[in-house]
Amino acid sequence: MIIAHRGASNLAPENTCASIKKAIELKADGIEIDIHLSKDNHIVVHHDYTTKRLSNKNFIIKDCTLAKLKEFEVGSHIGEEFKNEKIPTLNEILELLPNNIYLFIEIKSDKSILPFLNKELEKFPELKNQIFIIGFSKDVALASKVLMKEIPFYFLYSNKENEINTATLNELINFCKSNNLEGLDLDWKLINQQVSSEISKNDLKLYCWTVNNEIDAENLFKMGVHGITTDKPELFKQNK
Ligand code: G3P
Ligand code: CA
């Protein structure tokens, strides 16, 4: 599976309707987005905790209303043609999603976002089998599995050493198994054949991020990963 990281973020501004549409056009198998809860309880799609890097105006997402967040443009840092791109809501992205592309929703907020996420997803029952939730927080993973137990959750993990020792790998596998998580979504640099085989032996799926060249992708698929998340889906999907 080729998953477009923040949409086709090499070709259009990350986490915008433009990058999502581009990923759809390229026929990515999946799309990854990041979500936060606004001050007035809307789910918005943005990576950072502030608006600074993409809009040059420095506001904390969770302290802004949706109306305030919609004042910022988050596209012209890539090119003038994207100057009308705004921070999208999750609803806008779900409206765009065709019935043959998976959506990996990364929760950047704390678990207070979950009831709002559940309500939003309930508005799109036709997408029920295409939605996966991912996140780095154990707290969020556990609460997500209580509230939305039928939605697969993949636990994200990375570390500074770019290497995973046996104890940590076992701990991650046990966390998934004992809480009914479907698998792991690892920084690709942590993955080798042994890591991949151990995860698969435990009947868990393995995804990874962020893989931006074809040789690394090929090696990872040979090791048995289920999908790679990439800023450049065009490398894998264009003319294919
Ligand atoms: O797909 C997971 C990956 O997106 C996690 O890292 O910082 O890009 O959200 P980040
Ligand atoms: Ca992410």
Side-chain angles (χ1 to χ4, degrees):
M1 204 191 281
I2 301 295
I3 304 151
H5 188 230
R6 312 180 193 175
S9 55
N10 182 51
L11 302 174
E14 64 180 63
N15 281 321
T16 62
C17 289
S19 67
I20 304 308
K21 284 180 189 160
K22 196 76 205 164
I24 294 169
E25 200 183 297
L26 288 166
K27 300 193 166 51
D29 306 297
I31 294 172
E32 187 261 5
I33 58 170
D34 304 286
I35 62 165
H36 296 257
L37 194 62
S38 70
K39 187 182 175 187
D40 52 349
N41 295 329
H42 288 276
I43 299 181
V44 293
V45 178
H46 199 69
H47 179 270
D48 299 357
Y49 290 84
T50 73
T51 58
K52 186 157 190 275
R53 180 172 57 91
L54 300 187
S55 76
N56 231 353
K57 307 243 175 9
N58 197 6
F59 287 86
I60 297 167
I61 303 267
K62 72 173 171 51
D63 295 341
C64 292
T65 61
L66 178 60
K68 181 75 192 166
L69 292 168
K70 284 288 185 189
E71 287 174 16
F72 312 129
E73 67 84 10
V74 290
S76 63
H77 66 104
I78 296 277
E80 263 301 284
E81 71 271 35
F82 297 115
K83 68 173 194 289
N84 294 325
E85 290 301 319
K86 306 281 186 194
I87 295 175
T89 59
L90 176 62
N91 185 277
E92 287 172 79
I93 303 304
L94 292 170
E95 292 281 359
L96 290 175
L97 198 70
N99 65 7
N100 56 355
I101 298 188
Y102 293 98
L103 186 66
F104 288 71
I105 301 175
E106 181 181 344
I107 299 183
K108 292 291 191 191
S109 299
D110 63 30
K111 65 183 178 187
S112 63
I113 198 172
L114 292 171
F116 300 98
L117 177 59
N118 187 29
K119 223 159 107 194
E120 191 58 48
L121 294 175
E122 276 175 356
K123 293 183 201 157
F124 294 84
E126 70 282 11
L127 300 177
K128 168 162 129 263
N129 298 321
Q130 292 166 243
I131 305 291
F132 298 153
I133 302 178
I134 60 176
F136 286 99
S137 156
K138 287 189 173 169
D139 217 24
V140 168
L142 295 178
S144 182
K145 271 295 168 193
V146 170
L147 190 64
M148 297 174 279
K149 62 173 182 297
E150 72 293 349
I151 301 187
F153 196 109
Y154 295 98
F155 192 66
L156 294 169
Y157 180 80
S158 69
N159 63 33
K160 286 195 195 75
E161 297 78 44
N162 288 334
E163 209 177 309
I164 191 163
N165 62 42
T166 310
T168 305
L169 181 61
N170 287 340
E171 196 260 316
L172 288 168
I173 289 172
N174 288 338
F175 176 71
C176 291
K177 299 279 285 180
S178 48
N179 296 294
N180 299 317
L181 269 59
E182 282 70 10
L184 290 163
D185 192 348
L186 300 179
D187 181 337
W188 73 274
K189 295 186 237 55
L190 304 179
I191 300 173
N192 56 37
Q193 187 58 65
Q194 204 193 334
V195 168
S196 175
S197 302
E198 196 57 34
I199 292 168
S200 128
K201 238 197 304 178
N202 280 279
D203 296 323
L204 295 170
K205 283 193 174 169
L206 173 60
Y207 292 92
C208 62
W209 44 278
T210 306
V211 185
N212 285 336
N213 83 66
E214 287 153 299
I215 296 170
D216 292 329
E218 203 179 314
N219 286 335
L220 288 157
F221 283 122
K222 275 192 197 140
M223 288 179 218
V225 303
H226 288 86
I228 61 142
T229 316
T230 176
D231 296 323
K232 299 181 173 177
E234 67 274 19
L235 279 184
F236 306 95
K237 289 295 185 179
Q238 206 172 39
N239 304 324
K240 291 186 183 151

Short mmCIF file of all heavy atoms in Angstrom, two decimals, residues 5-6 32 34 47 106 108 134 136 156 185 209 229, ligand 1:
data_model
loop_
_atom_site.label_atom_id
_atom_site.label_comp_id
_atom_site.label_asym_id
_atom_site.label_seq_id
_atom_site.Cartn_x
_atom_site.Cartn_y
_atom_site.Cartn_z
N HIS A 5 1.62 10.88 2.44
CA HIS A 5 1.85 11.50 3.74
C HIS A 5 1.41 12.96 3.75
O HIS A 5 1.97 13.78 3.03
CB HIS A 5 3.35 11.41 4.04
CG HIS A 5 3.74 11.83 5.42
ND1 HIS A 5 4.75 12.73 5.66
CD2 HIS A 5 3.25 11.48 6.64
CE1 HIS A 5 4.89 12.90 6.95
NE2 HIS A 5 3.99 12.16 7.57
N ARG A 6 0.40 13.29 4.53
CA ARG A 6 -0.21 14.63 4.56
C ARG A 6 -0.77 14.97 3.17
O ARG A 6 -0.73 16.11 2.74
CB ARG A 6 0.79 15.70 5.02
CG ARG A 6 1.55 15.32 6.29
CD ARG A 6 2.55 16.38 6.74
NE ARG A 6 3.45 15.85 7.75
CZ ARG A 6 4.48 16.48 8.28
NH1 ARG A 6 4.71 17.74 7.94
NH2 ARG A 6 5.26 15.91 9.18
N GLU A 32 -2.59 9.88 4.46
CA GLU A 32 -2.40 10.14 5.88
C GLU A 32 -2.64 11.62 6.15
O GLU A 32 -2.19 12.47 5.36
CB GLU A 32 -0.97 9.75 6.29
CG GLU A 32 -0.70 9.80 7.77
CD GLU A 32 0.00 11.06 8.28
OE1 GLU A 32 0.24 12.01 7.49
OE2 GLU A 32 0.31 11.11 9.47
N ASP A 34 -3.16 14.63 9.65
CA ASP A 34 -3.01 14.88 11.09
C ASP A 34 -4.19 15.71 11.56
O ASP A 34 -4.59 16.65 10.87
CB ASP A 34 -1.73 15.68 11.35
CG ASP A 34 -0.50 14.99 10.78
OD1 ASP A 34 -0.08 13.99 11.36
OD2 ASP A 34 0.01 15.45 9.74
N HIS A 47 -0.64 19.62 10.75
CA HIS A 47 0.38 18.84 11.44
C HIS A 47 0.83 19.48 12.75
O HIS A 47 0.78 18.87 13.82
CB HIS A 47 1.60 18.62 10.53
CG HIS A 47 2.69 17.85 11.22
ND1 HIS A 47 3.69 18.45 11.95
CD2 HIS A 47 2.90 16.52 11.33
CE1 HIS A 47 4.48 17.53 12.46
NE2 HIS A 47 4.02 16.35 12.11
N GLU A 106 -4.13 10.60 11.86
CA GLU A 106 -3.23 10.67 13.02
C GLU A 106 -3.75 11.69 14.02
O GLU A 106 -3.91 12.87 13.71
CB GLU A 106 -1.79 11.04 12.61
CG GLU A 106 -0.93 11.06 13.88
CD GLU A 106 0.52 11.44 13.68
OE1 GLU A 106 1.02 11.43 12.54
OE2 GLU A 106 1.16 11.76 14.71
N LYS A 108 -3.29 14.14 16.80
CA LYS A 108 -2.25 14.94 17.45
C LYS A 108 -2.74 15.51 18.79
O LYS A 108 -1.93 15.92 19.61
CB LYS A 108 -1.83 16.11 16.54
CG LYS A 108 -1.10 15.69 15.26
CD LYS A 108 0.28 15.12 15.52
CE LYS A 108 1.11 14.96 14.25
NZ LYS A 108 2.33 14.17 14.48
N ILE A 134 -4.27 6.39 13.73
CA ILE A 134 -2.88 6.19 14.17
C ILE A 134 -2.53 7.25 15.22
O ILE A 134 -3.16 8.31 15.27
CB ILE A 134 -1.87 6.23 12.99
CG1 ILE A 134 -1.91 7.57 12.24
CG2 ILE A 134 -2.15 5.09 12.00
CD1 ILE A 134 -0.86 7.68 11.12
N PHE A 136 0.74 8.40 18.49
CA PHE A 136 1.90 8.08 19.34
C PHE A 136 1.50 7.89 20.81
O PHE A 136 2.32 7.47 21.61
CB PHE A 136 2.91 9.23 19.31
CG PHE A 136 3.70 9.36 18.03
CD1 PHE A 136 3.35 10.29 17.06
CD2 PHE A 136 4.83 8.58 17.81
CE1 PHE A 136 4.10 10.44 15.89
CE2 PHE A 136 5.59 8.72 16.65
CZ PHE A 136 5.22 9.64 15.69
N LEU A 156 2.00 4.41 16.60
CA LEU A 156 3.20 5.01 15.99
C LEU A 156 4.36 4.96 16.97
O LEU A 156 4.18 5.20 18.18
CB LEU A 156 2.93 6.48 15.64
CG LEU A 156 1.89 6.77 14.56
CD1 LEU A 156 1.56 8.27 14.54
CD2 LEU A 156 2.42 6.35 13.19
N ASP A 185 2.94 1.24 13.35
CA ASP A 185 3.30 2.12 12.25
C ASP A 185 4.62 2.78 12.68
O ASP A 185 4.62 3.68 13.51
CB ASP A 185 2.16 3.14 12.04
CG ASP A 185 2.27 3.92 10.74
OD1 ASP A 185 3.33 3.84 10.09
OD2 ASP A 185 1.31 4.62 10.40
N TRP A 209 6.76 4.95 7.92
CA TRP A 209 6.86 6.33 7.44
C TRP A 209 8.28 6.82 7.63
O TRP A 209 8.98 6.24 8.46
CB TRP A 209 5.88 7.24 8.22
CG TRP A 209 5.89 6.98 9.69
CD1 TRP A 209 5.23 5.99 10.38
CD2 TRP A 209 6.64 7.68 10.69
NE1 TRP A 209 5.53 6.05 11.72
CE2 TRP A 209 6.38 7.08 11.94
CE3 TRP A 209 7.53 8.78 10.66
CZ2 TRP A 209 6.95 7.51 13.14
CZ3 TRP A 209 8.09 9.22 11.85
CH2 TRP A 209 7.79 8.59 13.08
N THR A 229 4.37 5.01 4.00
CA THR A 229 3.83 6.36 3.94
C THR A 229 4.91 7.25 3.33
O THR A 229 6.06 7.21 3.74
CB THR A 229 3.48 6.83 5.37
OG1 THR A 229 2.82 5.77 6.05
CG2 THR A 229 2.59 8.06 5.35
O1 G3P B 1 2.49 8.57 9.35
C1 G3P B 1 3.07 8.84 10.60
C2 G3P B 1 3.89 10.08 10.59
O2 G3P B 1 3.17 11.08 9.94
C3 G3P B 1 4.27 10.51 11.97
O3 G3P B 1 5.10 11.65 11.99
O4 G3P B 1 5.53 14.03 12.42
O5 G3P B 1 4.89 13.33 10.14
O6 G3P B 1 3.20 13.33 11.97
P1 G3P B 1 4.65 13.14 11.61
#
